[in-house]
Amino acid sequence: MFRIEAKVDKARRDLLRSRLRDTNTAASPVLAALRGTPGEREVPLHVWALDEYGGLAGGLVGHTWATWLHITYLWVDTTHRGTGLGSHLLAKAEHIAATARACTSARLETWDFQAPRFYEKQGYEVVCVIPDYPPGITEYTLTKLLQ
C-alpha cells in the first residue's frame, strides 16, 4: 500500500533526480560515457544586444549540453524587429555553441504566434507539433544541424 502526496518537496525532487540520473546512466551507454566529462553538464549560453543607451534591445538565453545548443528564449524589442537583430543573436549563439563548445545541433520550442517561420528561415526544421498546448495555441519543436 502506498500513500500518494501532491506537494512541492525540493528534497524529494533532488532525490528523484539523482535516482533517475543513476537509472538512466545504467541503462544507456551514451549517458554513461558522458558521466565525468565536460559534456555532462548544462552550460549557460547568453547573448545580449544593447542599444546606444545601454538598454536591452534583444537577447538570447539558452544552454549547451552534450553536443546540443538548447535555445530557451529569444526576444527582440518591438522597435528593433525587422532589422536582422534576431538573426544576429541566433547566429552568434550557434557560432559559440559550434566553435567553442563542439555542438553539432540546436533545438528550441516556439508557439504558433511567436516565430516558427523565422526559425525555418534560419535553417531550422519542425520535428514536433503539439496542437492545443496550451488550449488554442500550437507548440512547435524545431532542430538544426550546426555547421
Side-chain angles (χ1 to χ4, degrees):
M1 186 127 117
F2 301 97
R3 183 178 79 231
I4 305 296
E5 297 177 358
K7 66 179 185 175
V8 174
D9 184 322
K10 292 180 181 178
R12 287 181 184 161
R13 179 206 60 199
D14 293 345
L15 177 61
L16 182 71
R17 181 184 300 148
S18 174
R19 289 185 178 172
L20 181 61
R21 180 178 175 212
D22 291 345
T23 301
N24 288 345
T25 299
S28 169
V30 172
L31 294 178
L34 276 174
R35 288 295 285 266
T37 71
E40 176 183 26
R41 292 235 167 298
E42 290 181 3
V43 179
L45 195 158
H46 299 177
V47 181
W48 307 107
L50 305 177
D51 64 22
E52 64 270 20
Y53 306 107
L56 185 62
L60 182 148
V61 172
H63 66 268
T64 55
W65 177 71
T67 59
W68 283 81
L69 164 63
H70 185 121
I71 298 159
T72 309
Y73 310 123
L74 173 58
W75 174 84
V76 174
D77 186 86
T78 54
T79 59
H80 302 290
R81 292 184 186 160
T83 65
L85 180 55
S87 298
H88 287 299
L89 290 165
L90 189 57
K92 181 68 171 179
E94 292 171 352
H95 178 76
I96 292 168
T99 60
R101 302 189 186 182
C103 290
T104 57
S105 302
R107 63 165 290 173
L108 58 91
E109 296 85 28
T110 190
W111 285 319
D112 56 4
F113 66 88
Q114 290 177 318
R117 303 307 158 245
F118 163 79
Y119 292 113
E120 288 178 318
K121 288 178 186 175
Q122 308 307 312
Y124 284 76
E125 295 181 25
V126 174
V127 295
C128 178
V129 177
I130 305 173
D132 236 19
Y133 181 76
I137 296 174
T138 299
E139 181 180 85
Y140 296 88
T141 301
L142 297 96
T143 63
K144 177 181 179 178
L145 292 176
L146 300 178
Q147 306 301 330

